[in-house]
Amino acid sequence: MSQPQLLTAHEVRDVYGRTYRHGETDRALLGRPRSWMLWLSWAAMLAAGVQQYGFGAVVPTLTQARGWSLTEVLWAFAVWTVCQAVAAFPAARLRDSGRLSPAVAMAAGAVLSAIGLVTLGLADSLPLVFLGFSVAGGIGTGLVYATCVGTVVKWFPDRPTAKSAFTTGAFAYGCVPFVLLAGFLLRPGNRALFLEVTAAVVLVAIAGCGALLRDPPKNWWPADSDPRVWALDRTHNGSLSGNRPAVRHYRPAELFHCGSAAVLYGVVVLAAAVSLFDLAYLVTFASQGSSRVFATVGLAVLAAATGGGRVVAGYVSERWGRLRTLRVALLAGGIAQFVLLDAGENNRPAGLVFGAVLAGFGSGCCYSLLVGLVREYFGENAALQNFGVLYSAKAVGGLLGIGFAAFLVTSGGYAVAFAAAGALGIASALLTKPLTQPGRPKHLLPGVQGS
């Protein structure tokens, strides 16, 4: 078999001042197509999302096994969310500087994620749960998430949103088998064995895929297309019909000098609060006056719809516009809260499934669309670090949607909590209205929508 020919790389610059390394093929750099990096990242994300999207299925068993209150258990999840979200920026910074390879990041993430799951199975004290699951497990999952998204974006600079949406979709729907098995089989007596087996699967899957991940050279662009043409020609780059490239590049330190960054941070906070509220409380809420099977199916549908919705939203936003797609999704996520409330209180399976689909497509799509919005608003030179900064808004959303929601559930009941979540979802959609690209004259590139 002949070795791939290494073409000469040269630097080119487009009209927006973006620099590209052009001329090398993916096969020359990897010995195989770049799609390998996509599928390896996708497979790792299938395993990585268990702690977030599967946690709701474990909550009833945790409260039964140790007598912990629902509020105590969910605060552990809130802290896990904080650790997972804040890990994204330092991981991106280390990766961009070359001090952290994807293989090392994934190996560390795999070990920490497994520790988190084993802790849930064995821990007999809440402080240990907070240390092993919330801190170690959260940081581990954050490392895996940031590494997979970063690797895919680097290998697919011509399709970053669609490909990252495909990858992050697996983070959600990958936990569906776990949710169903936990709902039907997990009990206090087999908690340790069940979660230890899950931890072993997660460890092997993430570390195995991560060992094969590689980064392209900095600013690499596929050799089979001209990045200068791609930046301007809609016949080559269909996403230009709905999305405008950034006017200039912003470093993380400059980000919040832009009003748009603060607004977008607020949008992510509210969207994350709604999404995490559903993951934390749906099973417990739907189990009241109904079977655990009813609640488990609802959570599984929610996770599947979130993952599938991310993929669909990523591809739809290429033509329809990132911001417009986000606004519709957030509005759907807000409305879904009232559907879920009605279905749960009146034991309506069809309503629960419909509400879960609507909620999954809604606020859960925010993260996948954020990848493209960050690049198109704040440039590409520090896009992954800027994504990490804005993704950290999920930490605040977790405290709001899990921690503060516990107060609402305790003091006012689920009706008040779901109504508040619905209001936050609708508010997040309305908050996108003033979003504009920093520094762009209103009449530049007329006819392009979505900014």
Side-chain angles (χ1 to χ4, degrees):
M1 181 177 178
S2 62
Q3 294 296 317
Q5 183 181 2
L6 185 63
L7 302 178
T8 303
H10 56 280
E11 189 176 279
V12 298
R13 189 182 297 267
D14 67 18
V15 295
Y16 296 100
R18 292 174 296 190
T19 301
Y20 306 90
R21 179 182 172 117
H22 191 237
E24 299 156 309
T25 66
D26 50 348
R27 288 180 178 274
L29 294 169
L30 287 170
R32 53 178 63 92
R34 59 179 172 161
S35 59
W36 275 67
M37 299 298 102
L38 175 66
W39 286 106
L40 286 168
S41 298
W42 173 86
M45 290 285 259
L46 282 175
V50 165
Q51 290 182 72
Q52 176 170 319
Y53 287 90
F55 187 81
V58 181
V59 168
T61 299
L62 290 178
T63 55
Q64 293 170 27
R66 296 298 177 188
W68 298 327
S69 71
L70 177 63
T71 300
E72 290 172 329
V73 171
L74 289 179
W75 265 110
F77 185 42
V79 175
W80 180 94
T81 302
V82 172
C83 293
Q84 189 264 339
V86 300
F89 173 71
R93 194 171 184 85
L94 290 171
R95 297 266 286 110
D96 280 352
S97 69
R99 288 177 288 176
L100 184 65
S101 71
V104 171
M106 293 289 278
V111 171
L112 291 171
S113 296
I115 289 173
L117 288 165
V118 170
T119 301
L120 280 185
L122 296 177
D124 56 4
S125 71
L126 278 170
L128 189 57
V129 171
F130 277 88
L131 181 63
F133 170 71
S134 303
V135 178
I139 292 173
T141 306
L143 277 173
V144 175
Y145 190 99
T147 302
C148 290
V149 171
T151 301
V152 168
V153 168
K154 289 177 180 181
W155 280 108
F156 291 88
D158 48 337
R159 285 284 183 266
T161 302
K163 298 304 182 182
S164 62
F166 175 78
T167 306
T168 60
F171 187 71
Y173 60 66
C175 80
V176 170
F178 174 86
V179 169
L180 293 175
L181 287 172
F184 289 109
L185 302 178
L186 181 60
R187 297 294 181 267
N190 64 6
R191 177 180 65 130
L193 177 61
F194 186 92
L195 291 169
E196 285 170 358
V197 170
T198 303
V201 173
V202 167
L203 175 66
V204 171
I206 295 175
C209 293
L212 300 175
L213 288 182
R214 300 290 183 272
D215 281 338
K218 188 176 181 180
N219 298 325
W220 177 81
W221 186 270
D224 58 359
S225 70
D226 188 331
R228 294 164 295 187
V229 175
W230 191 262
L232 291 173
D233 192 341
R234 297 181 192 179
T235 62
H236 288 80
N237 180 6
S239 69
L240 289 175
S241 299
N243 306 284
R244 298 169 173 174
V247 174
R248 59 158 289 198
H249 304 282
Y250 291 81
R251 302 296 302 175
E254 303 175 284
L255 207 58
F256 286 99
H257 294 294
C258 306
S260 294
V263 173
L264 193 53
Y265 193 91
V267 170
V268 178
V269 167
L270 298 182
V274 177
S275 175
L276 292 166
F277 169 77
D278 289 336
L279 292 177
Y281 292 96
L282 182 60
V283 169
T284 307
F285 166 63
S287 297
Q288 295 185 134
S290 184
S291 68
R292 187 171 173 177
V293 172
F294 176 71
T296 297
V297 170
L299 182 60
V301 170
L302 176 66
T306 300
R310 289 184 182 189
V311 177
V312 172
Y315 282 95
V316 167
S317 72
E318 292 286 292
R319 297 302 180 96
W320 203 41
R322 225 79 68 192
L323 187 57
R324 186 181 297 166
T325 305
L326 176 64
R327 188 176 297 136
V328 171
L330 294 176
L331 184 61
I335 294 171
Q337 305 311 305
F338 299 100
V339 178
L340 289 171
L341 175 61
D342 175 74
E345 286 191 331
N346 297 289
N347 194 22
R348 294 173 175 161
L352 188 75
V353 169
F354 176 69
V357 169
L358 203 59
F361 171 75
S363 33
C365 293
C366 175
Y367 308 120
S368 59
L369 296 175
L370 184 63
V371 173
L373 283 169
V374 167
R375 295 169 69 91
E376 288 150 14
Y377 276 56
F378 311 111
E380 300 179 16
N381 288 351
L384 292 176
Q385 293 183 49
N386 289 339
F387 171 79
V389 171
L390 292 169
Y391 186 78
S392 70
K394 178 181 177 181
V396 182
L399 295 176
L400 182 63
I402 302 172
F404 182 67
F407 167 76
L408 294 180
V409 170
T410 303
S411 60
Y414 282 105
V416 172
F418 272 94
L424 290 181
I426 295 170
S428 67
L430 296 176
L431 191 56
T432 63
K433 291 295 290 182
L435 275 174
T436 56
Q437 284 178 309
R440 178 175 293 279
K442 291 182 179 179
H443 302 295
L444 184 63
L445 291 179
V448 181
Q449 304 297 318
S451 65

